[in-house]
Amino acid sequence: MCGIVGYIGPKRACDVLIEGLKRLEYRGYDSAGVCVYHAGRLHIAKSPGRISELEKKIAEDPAIQCGTVGIGHTRWATHGEPNEANAHPHCDLSGRIALVHNGIIENYAPLKRFLSDHGHVFRSETDTEVLAQLIGRFCQDGAETLEDAVRAALSEVGGTYGIAVMSASEPDKLVVARKGSPLIVGVGSGEYIVASDASAILEHTTNVVYLNDNEMAVVTRDSLRTMTLDNVPVSKEVEQIEWSLEQIAKGGHEHFMLKEIFEQPEVVKMCMRGRVDLRDMRIQLGGLESVTGALLRTKRLILTACGTAWHAALVGDYLFEDLARIPTEVQYASEFRYRNPIVEDDTTVIAISQSGETADTLAALREAKEKGALALGIVNVVGSTIARETDAGVYLHAGPEIGVASTKAFTCQLVVETMVALLLGRKRLLSQPVMEQYLRELAAIPDKMQRVLDKAEEIRKIAEDYVDRDNWLFLGRGYNYPIALEGALKLKEISYIHAEGLPAAEMKHGPIALIHEGMPAVFVTPQGPTYDKILGNIEEVRARRGKIIAVASEGDEGIRSCCDRVITVPDCPVALQPMLTVIPLQLLAYYAAVARGCNVDKPRNLAKSVTVE
Ligand code: M6R
């Protein structure tokens, strides 16, 4: 998704902007650009493709290399193809105002018609240029300051935006605003860095001011003023970002995804720290204390999310019904608000999201709140929009997830769901001995995860042996059915191999027609209540000469006779199995993608954080 960086201070702006844009690369983009003020004018360089292309252009432009105030952008195309003309920054008619924008201006077409009728000429197909020209028009019509013009223009537009604007007429100033798209102002010593994402700021400072929706900020060389879009001053606290630069570097691994897969034992420990209390044998979730009473009255839970987080929600469905006996359902966030959902009294909606910025999940959350639900969040990014708009919630503490394919956030989502289910379960029906057993098993999960990770080499060989197959099936039952879906999603999103995930027993109702000689079928089949049943499904595939790869329990020697390959995971209670069984599937997808020469951390067509509907 698009990324914004802005800088004002003593340093060369282009260096800070490029470095910040590189930190935002993980979000996905297809063009990039910067604008820097120098000697009375704005100087712009833009390029489709990678940031290295933009750097070449900057190297040829001495004026851009001089300025100390500027804005930059990585664009992920929505309106118009990814070319130089459509890349940001965009200017007004005079070329003296430049703007970068994340989000979508929904009424850009009538505004463009209006401006065209008044002599404006457009150089791009973007909605963003319409906003830039509108701001220019308000300046031309007598707005006293850049912020007045921005405010006036924003009152005319519908849709979502995070913007950073600069003007050659007021060169020591950046104006930023947000509605539906995140923006943060980093407060350095003698400098300010504006960004859509904390990772672009961390190199310079950990002190930040978060803008809320419908707020703007005016940043000069020595001041930061924040106000609502209606110009009511807002006083803001400077907050601390907890993530370190080291945390967002690759740490010696070839890809962020591999680093994040291997970090799972550590981040799962972090996620449980202070929450799984083995001394008093209880779960403590400070983020839910204010709503525990309401949660206990809950008659129905709705879990809503997208993609991998939706798979975590499917596991949550089993956990909340099984451990806490609360009727639970899972809804795709993208469908939720369009189906006129029934939200009765005592309904709790939990939005699950790594980024906390996924547009569909945010919209589902807002719909749920509108209808009176208690709205909770299970979110990784601290201070993200979903985290701030929920009534209460639990952070994952998984650290920054840079690889587009979600891995460590997923396992932490499972851990948080388990902790919440146990907390409620204990208050409703679980006996203390059962609770204690779960707590001990949960605490043992990081070491067991490490035992699975130790099999990485074995899993790499399996991936390489089958990487030439174009279609794969992933099958599981019960708690491991969502893991089959997740295994298929991981494989397709980073290796571009077609894969389908299914509850194993569904296979005979249609998908079995796909099985042919040599087709890999990955069965997630550790010991559990449906183990014997799934053996029958394995035989069905074998009879059609498919290749069986099984994720099975350690010590299950019997399964080897009916499988081509077996990856074992340590034993644990069935409810916790997904935290272990997903790891071989993450590694399988990773090594298949590497063997195919794919760009693992930035798969084609995908963005890390999907902030458009
Ligand atoms: O940031 P979120 O968890 O809300 O993101 C939801 C999905 O977009 C995300 O999980 C996506 O499916 C990933 N590419 C999966 O690896």
Side-chain angles (χ1 to χ4, degrees):
M1 249 0 53
C2 306
I4 287 177
V5 191
Y7 178 76
I8 183 162
K11 298 177 188 149
R12 275 187 0 153
C14 66
D15 295 339
V16 180
L17 297 178
I18 287 293
E19 186 257 306
L21 293 179
K22 284 183 178 165
R23 298 252 178 232
L24 296 178
E25 275 194 293
Y26 76 91
R27 296 169 61 89
Y29 71 105
D30 43 41
S31 58
V34 296
C35 171
V36 170
Y37 170 82
H38 176 62
R41 283 184 46 211
L42 298 183
H43 302 269
I44 291 182
K46 309 200 274 193
S47 173
R50 313 310 297 174
I51 289 172
S52 50
E53 296 303 314
L54 176 63
E55 286 184 283
K56 286 182 202 155
K57 292 203 166 169
I58 292 174
E60 289 162 8
D61 187 336
I64 290 196
Q65 295 170 39
C66 291
T68 56
V69 53
I71 52 179
H73 191 259
T74 45
R75 174 174 186 256
W76 189 76
T78 56
H79 292 64
E81 62 181 73
N83 56 25
E84 184 170 337
N86 289 333
H88 302 205
H90 288 285
C91 284
D92 74 327
L93 206 51
S94 71
R96 293 187 64 75
I97 293 172
L99 170 141
V100 289
H101 165 223
N102 289 355
I104 293 177
I105 305 298
E106 281 169 1
N107 59 338
Y108 82 103
L111 288 171
K112 192 169 183 175
R113 272 197 302 277
F114 168 83
L115 291 167
S116 299
D117 291 347
H118 290 79
H120 287 249
V121 177
F122 290 87
R123 306 155 195 117
S124 77
E125 303 157 85
T126 64
D127 51 333
T128 301
E129 189 189 1
V130 175
L131 179 55
Q133 297 225 22
L134 192 60
I135 294 171
R137 175 137 201 112
F138 278 107
C139 281
Q140 183 194 317
D141 287 352
E144 278 184 20
T145 60
L146 180 62
E147 56 267 36
D148 288 342
V150 169
R151 193 175 296 116
L154 291 181
S155 72
E156 301 288 331
V157 305
T160 56
Y161 49 80
I163 56 168
V165 194
M166 61 189 294
S167 165
S169 307
E170 296 169 68
D172 289 328
K173 185 188 278 182
L174 294 177
V175 176
V176 298
R178 94 162 254 186
K179 183 179 173 193
S181 194
L183 262 188
I184 311 167
V185 184
V187 184
S189 88
E191 63 183 2
Y192 292 96
I193 307 100
V194 172
S196 51
D197 184 320
S199 50
I201 290 179
L202 269 176
E203 179 96 9
H204 308 276
T205 181
T206 53
N207 297 326
V208 294
V209 167
Y210 292 100
L211 286 194
N212 287 326
D213 272 352
N214 300 308
E215 288 180 351
M216 58 190 282
V218 179
V219 188
T220 67
R221 290 190 180 276
D222 53 12
S223 69
L224 165 65
R225 284 186 294 121
T226 46
M227 67 274 316
T228 64
L229 290 179
D230 304 330
N231 205 14
V232 177
V234 178
S235 122
K236 292 262 170 193
E237 298 226 338
V238 177
E239 299 181 46
Q240 289 286 315
I241 313 177
E242 285 168 13
W243 293 349
S244 67
L245 260 187
E246 193 184 294
Q247 273 180 296
I248 58 172
K250 277 189 209 159
H253 289 282
E254 201 182 334
H255 296 100
F256 280 114
M257 182 182 175
L258 191 61
K259 171 186 175 242
E260 288 157 7
I261 291 173
F262 273 87
E263 272 176 358
Q264 290 178 104
E266 199 48 44
V267 295
V268 159
K269 265 189 215 157
M270 299 256 288
C271 181
M272 292 193 281
R273 190 162 297 156
R275 294 164 163 181
V276 175
D277 178 353
L278 291 181
R279 207 189 53 186
D280 295 333
M281 284 296 175
R282 58 182 182 157
I283 294 285
Q284 289 199 85
L285 294 171
L288 295 186
E289 264 164 26
S290 60
V291 296
T292 309
L295 254 177
L296 286 171
R297 286 192 300 277
T298 286
K299 297 215 170 62
R300 181 164 153 252
L301 264 180
I302 301 175
L303 310 180
T304 189
C306 302
T308 285
W310 184 77
H311 296 154
L314 289 179
V315 178
D317 188 357
Y318 285 88
L319 287 166
F320 287 114
E321 295 212 336
D322 200 4
L323 302 180
R325 307 303 293 160
I326 302 175
T328 305
E329 66 192 74
V330 178
Q331 302 265 348
Y332 277 117
S334 53
E335 291 294 317
F336 186 71
R337 81 186 126 144
Y338 294 113
R339 56 178 298 172
N340 192 15
I342 299 170
V343 177
E344 294 155 318
D345 280 354
D346 297 330
T347 297
T348 297
V349 173
I350 307 184
I352 305 176
S353 172
Q354 186 286 129
S355 62
E357 301 293 349
T358 301
D360 285 322
T361 311
L362 184 56
L365 176 76
R366 287 175 176 162
E367 174 73 19
K369 284 182 77 173
E370 181 70 26
K371 291 208 144 112
L374 173 66
L376 306 182
I378 296 179
V379 171
N380 192 34
V381 179
V382 175
S384 58
T385 310
I386 292 176
R388 282 182 294 130
E389 292 200 11
T390 40
D391 297 314
V394 185
Y395 281 120
L396 302 181
H397 296 320
E401 191 179 69
I402 309 288
V404 165
S406 188
T407 52
K408 62 175 180 172
F410 177 73
T411 37
C412 287
Q413 283 159 355
L414 302 185
V415 171
V416 169
E417 288 174 334
T418 308
M419 292 190 295
V420 178
L422 286 173
L423 176 81
L424 299 178
R426 175 70 188 106
K427 291 190 192 290
R428 290 166 65 98
L429 74 149
L430 287 183
S431 67
Q432 185 61 15
V434 172
M435 177 75 167
E436 291 183 12
Q437 192 189 344
Y438 271 115
L439 293 181
R440 283 198 196 91
E441 290 285 356
L442 204 45
I445 285 290
D447 288 345
K448 293 184 179 177
M449 284 179 146
Q450 188 56 52
R451 274 159 61 190
V452 183
L453 290 168
D454 291 343
K455 297 183 195 296
E457 213 25 44
E458 187 187 311
I459 297 168
R460 183 178 66 75
K461 291 201 184 88
I462 298 174
E464 287 173 0
D465 287 348
Y466 292 98
V467 75
D468 59 339
R469 316 297 154 96
D470 288 333
N471 291 293
W472 292 48
L473 276 186
F474 287 77
L475 303 125
R477 300 192 73 159
Y479 276 97
N480 286 298
Y481 142 58
I483 298 309
L485 301 193
E486 175 61 4
L489 177 65
K490 283 283 95 69
L491 187 69
K492 59 191 156 195
E493 71 178 330
I494 58 168
S495 74
Y496 318 141
I497 294 171
H498 177 254
E500 208 175 317
L502 295 168
E506 274 300 299
M507 189 177 62
K508 58 185 170 297
H509 297 290
I512 198 166
L514 295 170
I515 309 279
H516 56 80
E517 185 168 357
M519 178 178 178
V522 181
F523 281 87
V524 190
T525 176
Q527 292 294 329
T530 52
Y531 177 79
D532 290 336
K533 305 273 176 205
I534 215 168
L535 290 183
N537 302 131
I538 289 179
E539 290 305 334
E540 287 161 8
V541 176
R542 244 160 62 93
R544 288 157 184 85
R545 302 206 177 159
K547 292 286 176 193
I548 315 287
I549 301 166
V551 176
S553 293
E554 276 176 7
D556 182 358
E557 292 308 320
I559 201 165
R560 292 187 188 274
S561 62
C562 60
C563 297
D564 295 278
R565 304 295 177 89
V566 178
I567 307 162
T568 58
V569 297
D571 256 342
C572 69
V574 174
L576 309 189
Q577 282 175 350
M579 299 171 196
L580 302 179
T581 52
V582 75
I583 294 176
L585 307 191
Q586 295 168 342
L587 286 169
L588 207 53
Y590 172 78
Y591 289 119
V594 171
R596 288 193 150 211
C598 298
N599 189 344
V600 173
D601 285 332
K602 293 175 207 130
R604 71 182 179 209
N605 307 337
L606 287 182
K608 179 64 182 163
S609 167
V610 184
T611 51
V612 290
E613 196 185 338

